[in-house]
Amino acid sequence: YTGLFALVNAHAVYVHASSNVSYEKAVHDAKQVASLNGDWSVMRASGLSMDPYYADDAILLVDKVAYCDLKKGMMVVYEDDQGERVGHFLIERTSAGWVAQGANNAEVDPTLINAKNLIGVIFGVFNTSGAQAALASYASHDADPLPVVIGKKY
């Protein structure tokens, strides 16, 4: 376990985020919550760079936010230089934009976050049982697939 949030105690135990809630139930519940506000959206996490804050196949609630309202420590979703949605922590504001980093990443993200590539702030996490079979089954019946937020490793 390395990176910005590395554990300093050699005796600390790393715990993977998980839940007994099915993927389908988490999506259903998250969509119900998101329906309460037009600025809220539901996305699916992919990757482990943000574990234990959220795990692979977690369902994320994302709030549109003005760039000027960002603060250090927020978990944000932004579009990187490859056109992929990335979900990481804000760690430093510079004159050129915000620097982000995944909780498990030793390096900062190469793409700076600015008003143009900011998608929103993660304010809710529904960790799931992570059952891939349930994910595939649900996706095949879902007419509105969820946008994917990648927890990228750099």
Side-chain angles (χ1 to χ4, degrees), residues 67-120:
Y67 180 78
C68 62
D69 291 334
L70 294 178
K71 293 178 177 48
K72 183 177 181 176
M74 288 180 164
M75 289 187 294
V76 298
V77 177
Y78 69 96
E79 187 173 304
D80 72 5
D81 292 337
Q82 288 75 45
E84 295 178 313
R85 283 179 216 91
V86 177
H88 283 163
F89 281 108
L90 295 177
I91 61 166
E92 180 184 7
R93 185 175 185 167
T94 70
S95 59
W98 277 94
V99 177
Q101 185 173 4
N104 291 310
N105 291 354
E107 303 293 326
V108 299
D109 298 0
T111 302
L112 292 176
I113 301 167
N114 56 52
K116 292 180 183 170
N117 68 356
L118 174 66
I119 295 171

Side-chain angles (χ1 to χ4, degrees), residues 101-150:
Q101 185 173 4
N104 291 310
N105 291 354
E107 303 293 326
V108 299
D109 298 0
T111 302
L112 292 176
I113 301 167
N114 56 52
K116 292 180 183 170
N117 68 356
L118 174 66
I119 295 171
V121 171
I122 298 168
F123 73 96
V125 176
F126 291 68
N127 283 308
T128 70
S129 58
Q132 291 298 322
L135 171 62
S137 171
Y138 186 78
S140 68
H141 295 91
D142 191 3
D144 185 22
L146 297 178
V148 175
V149 175
I150 301 171

